Amino acid sequence: MAGLIFDSHCHYDDNAFDEDRYELLNKLLVDEGHVVDKMLHAAVDEKSSLFGIKTAERYVNYYTSIGFHPEYADDVPDNYMEILKTLYEKASATGKLRAVGEIGLDHHYEGYNADKQKTLFIDQVKFANEKGLPVIIHCRDATEECMGVLSELRPAGVMHCFSGSAETAEKVVGLGMYIGFTGALAFKNNKKAKRACEAVPLERLLLETDCPYMAPPPYRGERSDSSMIAETAKVMAEIKGVSAEEVLRATNENACRLFGIS
């Protein structure tokens, strides 16, 4: 069952993996009995995008994205679109570029620049549409604004680490997009996420870790990694009334469909 895992959103460039990054990736992706089928790196800035490109060259079943996260909007250089185009050329050369992201809006922390975030977001969605790539959307405390952009530009993609309502989930799916759930779905009191998951057809669901964050029970509080998706799949299976194996197979197929992986 575990060999069906597609982690559709991971951050193995995070400092939490500095001591054992490639040892862990080898164990998960390559070594005999490896438990993960595929991974998709979610880039957050230029450095992160370059990490994804390099690591995608190293592992056959590791894919990558390019993009600028909204939390870093104030630090993005003025020529960010030129940088994005250069990253696109480098990533395309690997044959492993599958998305533009992690992009979006984040109005959670005080002092955010809403205008700069929105401009950065719109420019990157338009770029993704131009290149025929799906987007990986980060949306926190900015649902109305984010949905406005998505409704207007209509990209293919996924709303990652979904924390919105069932009604918002239905609207996202209505745009032809997918919904990604992390280990937070398995948190005992996370009724809102469970209702949202229930509202989404299985063929529109993805599983992800957002590692090293949001490890599901019984690992909650620990550093997350892709193998833990097996626990999230069990909870999703209960919600959808199917087996965990069916959830893993369906979400794997969904991710392959969205990201153009044969």
Side-chain angles (χ1 to χ4, degrees):
M1 182 176 75
L4 294 170
I5 290 172
F6 191 141
D7 187 350
S8 63
H9 192 110
C10 53
H11 299 283
Y12 285 100
D13 55 331
D14 192 275
N15 291 340
F17 298 106
D18 283 353
E19 292 186 4
D20 63 345
R21 177 172 293 110
Y22 295 109
E23 179 183 350
L24 177 59
L25 286 172
N26 288 341
K27 178 183 176 182
L28 294 171
L29 286 171
V30 178
D31 293 349
E32 185 176 352
H34 64 87
V35 298
V36 176
D37 184 37
K38 300 177 183 71
M39 294 179 186
L40 181 76
H41 170 68
V44 298
D45 58 16
E46 183 179 9
K47 181 180 178 181
S48 178
S49 297
L50 291 171
F51 170 89
I53 293 167
K54 181 178 179 181
T55 310
E57 291 176 326
R58 182 169 181 158
Y59 296 101
V60 172
N61 43 354
Y62 181 102
Y63 299 86
T64 195
S65 65
I66 54 171
F68 296 98
H69 191 290
E71 280 190 23
Y72 306 117
D74 288 338
D75 300 319
V76 172
D78 291 340
N79 66 332
Y80 63 85
M81 287 308 298
E82 291 302 317
I83 295 172
L84 191 65
K85 291 173 185 177
T86 300
L87 290 169
Y88 172 80
E89 296 299 329
K90 290 181 179 179
S92 295
T94 70
K96 308 291 281 299
L97 176 62
R98 289 297 182 269
V100 173
E102 171 179 0
I103 65 175
L105 300 173
D106 193 318
H107 296 174
H108 183 68
Y109 296 108
E110 292 184 7
Y112 65 87
N113 187 325
D115 291 339
K116 193 166 185 179
Q117 281 194 16
K118 189 172 183 179
T119 299
L120 180 65
F121 182 27
I122 290 172
D123 285 346
Q124 291 184 98
V125 173
K126 287 181 176 178
F127 180 83
N129 285 348
E130 175 189 325
K131 300 300 184 182
L133 289 169
V135 292
I136 301 169
I137 302 297
H138 172 103
C139 179
R140 184 159 62 163
D141 295 345
T143 299
E144 184 177 350
E145 298 90 338
C146 192
M147 290 301 295
V149 172
L150 297 177
S151 297
E152 180 180 351
L153 299 180
R154 303 295 292 244
V158 56
M159 186 80 79
H160 118 87
C161 190
F162 191 77
S163 60
S165 66
E167 291 75 19
T168 299
E170 290 173 343
K171 290 177 182 177
V172 173
V173 172
L175 293 174
M177 299 182 71
Y178 293 74
I179 300 286
F181 284 102
T182 67
L185 179 68
F187 293 175
K188 185 176 180 180
N189 296 320
N190 198 352
K191 296 178 181 178
K192 185 179 180 181
K194 291 178 173 64
R195 286 194 295 268
C197 182
E198 187 176 13
V200 178
L202 182 58
E203 61 268 20
R204 286 287 165 175
L205 290 170
L206 300 185
L207 284 170
E208 57 173 272
T209 54
D210 202 18
C211 67
Y213 311 107
M214 287 177 288
Y219 307 105
R220 190 169 182 182
E222 298 180 21
R223 182 187 72 174
S224 176
D225 70 59
S226 303
S227 67
M228 297 177 186
I229 279 180
E231 297 300 325
T232 311
K234 292 176 184 177
V235 175
M236 185 176 284
E238 291 177 6
I239 295 168
K240 305 307 290 183
V242 297
S243 68
E245 182 175 352
E246 186 173 346
V247 163
L248 287 172
R249 182 174 287 107
T251 53
N252 189 318
E253 291 173 355
N254 296 345
C256 287
R257 186 186 316 119
L258 172 61
F259 298 121
I261 299 170
S262 58

